[in-house]
């Protein structure tokens, strides 16, 4: 995903910007650029591909004195990954970089074009700089023009802008995308979209809040809130330890990644939703020509996301869907017919078992699609088509945000297929797209919820086993909850369909058997409830997760009242992830690097 850096000071601005961008490389990008204003003149460089290309282009360039510079790594959303679409974007005498999405850019662009402005790129970002320059003509100062511009934008953004009309100043705004500013005793100012580029340069940092905007000069960091009221910066000391800074103050990467799900899922959705349809620019509609069946193949957590998709594809897209565990598929001499689209799902894109099945499908002449988080991975290079999940790097071995983004992609893909198959009405597709827009807010972890789970986790440190149970898409979620717990707590846990317990496992029921019951209000509530009551009657210890109070449970974790079962799915996903995390922490385990496991399993 995109990264932003900014610098105002007398050191070699180019080096500082490029080093900062390197620290953000892990987020993934497809082009990069910098713009530096020194002595009233701009120097601007852009390159597609990796930062080495930008380094090569700038190798003979350096600054000599005070300069204001901004830099950006871009992950294409609006417009292809070309040099013209790379940031910074130029107006007449100003440059801008931006993370996020300007939702009203089409209207603004239309007005600007009508007034004679020429656009070079296909990006939403370019409107910011032109709008600023339009406002500049009728404003008393660059800051007034910038404030007006920010007022006119809707959407999510972190913005840096430099302009000849106010040299030695960097203007900034933050709404929905992260950004911070740092200072040091040498009067230098640094901006970035996460703390790591600032480590070693700054002692104190201010994390901007949504709605903050303003400017920095050598002597001042001016911050205004959404209402335009000036406020004091709230500085905190910046840790000088890169590893702990990368954790953003969380105890473990897994915990950080759970909390990040709200923002990475916004990235997954970015540029892919219109009011009535899903836009996947990266896949050709003819990928589905002649296809009567979808075969989903994966391992571990990715397999659970695939299983969730199998319910959605058949229910909404009305397409026959089968599901395969990659390590099994490889050796069972499967029948592969050319009317099947073979879809592999992988966070890493390197899992050996999954990769081999992709090779088998290609060899059999099937069309292939990969849902993956890592661009340029082996699977991405091999498959006919790719949809990237945009989760950003996942460090915790126990996968969390990869799962959330995979399920989000699958939900979008369901609606994408449903549209051209006419299996859902336009109104229903629009309704579900509205729900998709709400997913990020349902993924927010509240202190209250985390605290509650932390407290009750102490009751679940022993026992002879856990059953996570659910119906329909809550069955793969139950499997995923059980896998999370197993991986990091080393306690035995199984995921089971709620209705299947009575066919055997209920024999295990006693107070030392812990049942984690997923009880969505909007999907088979009564049936699932009866299954839990059967276990409760046999004295199993029950922890129920639901929006509806449930008095047969020993513990109850309340999620919010949602409009649809898929939103309940995401809320419950957060609960099972945090429950596993807190149990593991109480047991003193290494949450991020559990024993015997590797992040990427490249062996059979
Ligand atoms: O990179 P992949 O998605 O292909 O990895 C598949 C599994 O190895 C992975 O999901 C594994 O199960 C995780 N440790 C789950 O937390």
């Amino acid at each position: 995903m995109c990264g932003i850096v900014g610098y105002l000071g007398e050191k070699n601005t180019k080096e500082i910007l490029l080093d900062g961008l390197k620290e953000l490389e892990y987020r993934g990008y497809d082009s990069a650029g910098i713009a530096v204003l020194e002595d009233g003149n701009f120097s601007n460089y852009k390159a597609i591909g990796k930062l080495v290309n930008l380094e090569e282009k700038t190798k003979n360039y350096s600054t000599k004195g005070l300069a204001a510079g901004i830099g950006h790594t871009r992950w294409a959303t609006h417009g292809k990954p070309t040099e013209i679409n790379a940031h910074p974007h130029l107006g007449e005498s100003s440059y801008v970089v931006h993370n996020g999405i300007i939702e009203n850019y089409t209207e603004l662009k239309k007005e600007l074009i009508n007034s004679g402005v020429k656009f070079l790129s296909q990006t939403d970002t370019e409107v910011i700089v032109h709008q600023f320059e339009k406002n500049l003509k009728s404003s008393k100062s660059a800051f007034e023009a910038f404030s007006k511009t920010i007022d006119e934008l809707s959407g999510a953004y972190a913005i840096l802008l430099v302009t000849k009309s106010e040299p030695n100043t960097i203007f900034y705004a933050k709404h929905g995308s992260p950004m911070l500013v740092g200072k040091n005793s040498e009067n230098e100012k640094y901006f970035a979209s996460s703390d790591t580029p600032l480590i070693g340069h700054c002692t104190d940092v201010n994390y901007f809040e949504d709605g903050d905007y303003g400017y920095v000069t050598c002597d001042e960091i001016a911050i205004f809130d959404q209402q335009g009221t000036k406020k004091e910066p709230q500085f905190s000391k910046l840790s000088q330890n890169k590893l702990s800074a990368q954790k953003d103050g969380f105890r473990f990467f897994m915990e950080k990644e759970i909390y990040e799900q709200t923002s990475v899922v916004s990235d997954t959705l970015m540029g892919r939703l219109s009011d009535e349809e899903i836009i996947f620019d990266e896949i050709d509609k003819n990928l589905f020509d002649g296809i009567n069946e979808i075969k989903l193949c994966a391992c571990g957590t990715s397999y659970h996301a695939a299983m969730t998709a199998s319910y959605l594809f058949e229910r909404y897209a009305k397409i026959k869907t089968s599901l395969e565990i990659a390590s099994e598929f490889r050796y069972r001499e499967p029948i592969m017919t050319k009317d099947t689209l073979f879809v592999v799902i992988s966070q890493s894109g390197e899992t050996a078992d999954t990769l081999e099945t992709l090779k088998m499908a290609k060899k059999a002449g099937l069309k292939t699609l990969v849902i993956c988080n890592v661009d340029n991975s082996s699977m991405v290079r091999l498959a006919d088509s790719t949809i990237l999940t945009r989760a950003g790097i996942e460090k915790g071995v126990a996968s969390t945000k990869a799962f959330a983004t995979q399920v989000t992609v699958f939900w979008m893909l369901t609606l994408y297929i449903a549209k051209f198959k006419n299996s859902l009405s336009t109104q229903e597709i629009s309704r579900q797209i509205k729900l998709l827009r709400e997913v990020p807010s349902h993924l927010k972890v509240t202190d209250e919820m985390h605290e509650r789970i932390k407290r009750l986790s102490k009751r679940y440190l022993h026992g002879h086993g856990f059953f996570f149970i659910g119906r329909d898409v809550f069955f793969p979620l139950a499997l995923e909850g059980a896998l999370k717990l197993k991986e990091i707590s080393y306690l035995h846990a199984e995921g089971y369909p709620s209705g299947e317990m009575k066919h055997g496992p209920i024999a295990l029921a006693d107070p030392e058997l812990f049942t984690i019951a997923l009880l969505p209000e909007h999907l088979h509530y009564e049936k699932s409830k009866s299954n839990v009551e059967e276990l409760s009657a046999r004295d199993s210890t029950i922890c129920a997760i639901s929006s509806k109070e449930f008095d047969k449970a020993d513990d109850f974790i309340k999620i919010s009242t949602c409009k649809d079962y898929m939103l309940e799915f995401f809320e419950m996903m957060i609960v099972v992830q945090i429950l596993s995390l807190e149990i593991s922490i109480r047991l003193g385990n290494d949450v991020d690097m559990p024993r015997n496991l590797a992040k990427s399993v490249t062996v059979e």
Side-chain angles (χ1 to χ4, degrees):
M1 296 286 91
C2 305
I4 279 189
V5 292
Y7 173 69
L8 178 69
E10 294 189 10
K11 294 202 182 120
N12 187 343
T13 306
K14 174 195 85 175
E15 295 293 329
I16 288 170
L17 295 178
L18 290 183
D19 287 350
L21 291 178
K22 260 185 227 150
E23 294 293 343
L24 301 173
E25 256 192 317
Y26 71 92
R27 295 173 59 81
Y29 63 101
D30 42 50
S31 56
I34 58 168
V36 180
L37 181 60
E38 184 186 14
D39 288 336
N41 293 314
F42 269 117
S43 304
N44 168 231
Y45 299 89
K46 296 180 185 191
I48 52 171
K50 295 290 161 204
L51 278 173
V52 284
N53 301 339
L54 187 61
E55 275 169 349
E56 180 58 29
K57 282 197 168 181
T58 55
K59 68 176 182 222
N60 297 322
Y61 165 67
S62 65
T63 48
K64 286 168 196 66
L66 181 62
I70 55 178
H72 191 264
T73 44
R74 172 174 187 255
W75 179 294
T77 54
H78 291 73
K80 298 214 173 324
T82 59
E83 217 169 283
I84 284 191
N85 285 334
H87 302 209
H89 288 287
L90 172 68
E92 280 170 35
S93 55
S94 321
Y95 273 98
V96 71
V97 291
H98 157 232
N99 282 356
I101 188 160
I102 304 300
E103 281 165 6
N104 59 338
Y105 89 100
T106 326
E107 299 99 85
L108 293 174
K109 189 169 175 173
K110 221 181 265 167
E111 285 168 23
L112 288 162
I113 289 175
N114 288 343
S115 66
V117 174
K118 296 243 173 326
F119 276 78
L120 294 175
S121 76
Q122 298 156 299
T123 64
D124 53 337
T125 304
E126 199 182 339
V127 298
I128 304 170
V129 70
H130 293 305
Q131 194 69 17
F132 166 75
E133 293 194 333
K134 180 184 143 196
N135 288 329
L136 197 55
K137 293 188 179 119
S138 58
S139 302
K140 287 194 216 84
S141 67
F143 179 57
E144 188 183 315
F146 185 73
S147 317
K148 275 189 201 160
T149 309
I150 296 308
D151 245 12
E152 289 159 345
L153 303 177
S154 58
Y157 47 77
I159 294 170
L160 295 182
L161 182 142
V162 273
T163 176
K164 282 186 184 175
S165 59
E166 192 72 55
N168 306 333
T169 305
I170 299 179
F171 295 94
Y172 69 86
K174 184 242 189 271
H175 186 84
S177 297
M179 189 158 65
L180 69 156
V181 64
K183 62 171 189 177
N184 58 22
S185 54
E186 296 165 70
N187 266 352
E188 294 173 301
K189 307 291 180 303
Y190 289 78
F191 286 93
S193 45
S194 85
D195 359 21
T196 34
L198 274 51
I199 294 173
H201 296 292
C202 299
T203 45
D204 301 83
V205 291
N206 171 86
Y207 295 88
F208 293 117
E209 288 172 21
D210 278 345
D212 284 357
Y213 68 98
Y215 59 87
V216 304
T217 61
C218 294
D219 307 319
E220 189 184 8
I221 297 178
I223 308 180
F224 297 82
D225 67 16
Q226 214 148 10
Q227 283 68 46
T229 312
K230 198 163 185 189
K231 59 185 206 182
E232 285 304 310
Q234 299 295 318
F235 284 111
S236 49
K237 288 281 168 217
L238 179 65
S239 154
Q240 297 302 309
N241 173 335
K242 266 198 185 147
L243 193 68
S244 88
Q246 281 171 353
K247 287 189 201 150
D248 282 348
F250 291 100
R251 296 165 291 176
F252 296 96
F253 280 110
M254 181 189 177
E255 186 178 31
K256 171 177 177 258
E257 285 157 8
I258 293 171
Y259 274 73
E260 248 172 30
Q261 290 178 113
T262 175
S263 72
V264 294
V265 166
S266 303
D267 290 339
T268 309
L269 298 171
M270 197 185 292
R272 289 170 166 168
L273 306 182
S274 82
D275 289 345
E276 290 187 355
E277 64 179 343
I278 300 294
I279 304 149
F280 278 130
D281 284 336
E282 56 272 72
I283 55 175
D284 219 317
K285 277 234 166 75
N286 68 23
L287 181 67
F288 292 88
D289 288 354
I291 295 299
N292 293 316
E293 181 181 340
I294 293 180
K295 198 176 269 302
L296 301 163
C297 191
C299 303
T301 288
S302 297
Y303 175 78
H304 300 150
M307 188 186 283
T308 310
S310 70
Y311 287 89
L312 301 180
F313 283 173
E314 295 209 338
R315 175 169 303 136
Y316 298 128
K318 300 291 174 217
I319 186 153
K320 194 173 159 206
T321 306
S322 56
L323 192 63
E324 307 280 354
I325 288 185
S327 55
E328 281 299 301
F329 186 75
R330 286 179 70 175
Y331 298 106
R332 68 170 181 74
E333 299 179 29
I335 295 170
M336 290 193 260
T337 53
K338 292 206 175 129
D339 64 345
T340 301
L341 176 67
F342 194 81
V343 183
V344 285
I345 306 92
S346 175
Q347 187 284 129
S348 61
E350 304 295 346
T351 303
D353 286 321
T354 314
L355 182 60
E356 284 310 312
T357 67
L358 178 60
K359 289 182 188 161
M360 284 164 66
K362 294 250 348 161
K363 201 164 162 208
L366 269 60
K367 288 188 186 174
T368 56
L369 168 69
V370 58
I371 313 287
C372 192
N373 191 35
V374 181
D375 200 1
N376 279 318
S377 56
S378 303
M379 286 183 222
V380 169
R381 291 198 306 272
L382 194 63
D384 300 324
S385 298
T386 300
I387 300 179
L388 293 174
T389 49
R390 306 177 179 169
I393 198 163
E394 190 181 59
K395 292 205 169 161
V397 166
S399 207
T400 51
K401 60 179 181 165
F403 179 71
T405 54
Q406 286 167 342
V407 174
T408 305
V409 164
F410 276 128
W411 190 2
M412 285 193 281
L413 190 59
T414 306
L415 302 180
Y416 178 89
I417 303 170
K419 170 92 182 172
F420 69 76
K421 285 195 82 214
N422 278 323
S423 58
L424 286 180
S425 65
T426 311
Q427 292 90 313
E428 178 56 17
I429 292 179
S430 299
R431 185 189 77 87
Q432 292 201 31
I433 290 176
K434 279 199 194 113
L435 295 174
L436 270 164
R437 290 187 200 279
E438 288 181 31
V439 174
S441 62
H442 287 271
L443 288 171
K444 280 198 180 123
V445 185
T446 62
D447 289 350
E448 194 194 346
M449 154 92 74
H450 197 145
E451 224 12 75
R452 165 130 188 83
I453 300 172
K454 191 175 185 176
R455 276 186 66 74
L456 62 80
S457 64
K458 63 177 176 290
R459 290 169 64 143
Y460 297 92
L461 307 178
H462 58 285
H464 59 69
F466 284 76
F467 271 87
F468 285 70
I469 61 169
R471 281 174 177 259
D472 203 281
V473 292
F474 294 87
F475 166 45
L477 183 58
L479 287 170
E480 178 56 11
L483 179 63
K484 287 293 82 86
L485 188 66
K486 270 191 278 233
E487 285 186 293
I488 59 174
S489 72
Y490 320 140
L491 296 170
H492 180 74
E494 280 188 61
Y496 232 75
S498 306
E500 189 65 11
M501 291 297 284
K502 57 184 174 295
H503 297 290
I506 202 164
L508 294 168
D510 69 15
E512 296 299 298
L513 178 80
F514 300 140
T515 301
I516 312 296
L518 308 179
L519 284 172
E521 188 177 343
H522 295 290
L523 198 69
H524 312 313
Y525 180 77
E526 289 304 327
K527 288 194 190 306
S528 307
K529 197 172 114 194
S530 309
N531 298 141
V532 182
E533 279 166 359
E534 287 153 16
L535 282 153
S536 165
R538 283 155 186 89
D539 255 354
S540 168
T541 298
I542 314 275
C543 173
I545 308 171
S546 183
S547 57
K548 285 177 90 164
E549 297 292 337
F550 181 64
D551 58 9
K552 298 277 181 346
D554 300 278
D555 280 313
F556 179 66
I557 302 172
K558 194 168 169 46
I559 60 159
S560 63
T561 305
C562 303
K563 289 185 196 138
D564 188 273
Y565 70 88
M566 281 307 290
L567 298 179
E568 296 183 289
F569 179 97
F570 285 106
E571 289 217 3
M572 290 189 193
M573 180 199 74
I574 295 276
V575 173
V576 296
Q577 290 170 345
I578 293 182
L579 183 62
S580 303
L581 173 85
E582 290 302 335
I583 291 176
S584 172
I585 294 174
R586 281 187 188 273
L587 292 171
N589 298 342
D590 185 342
V591 170
D592 286 330
M593 274 181 279
R595 69 185 186 202
N596 307 338
L597 298 178
K599 184 67 190 158
S600 186
V601 187
T602 51
V603 290
E604 254 200 88

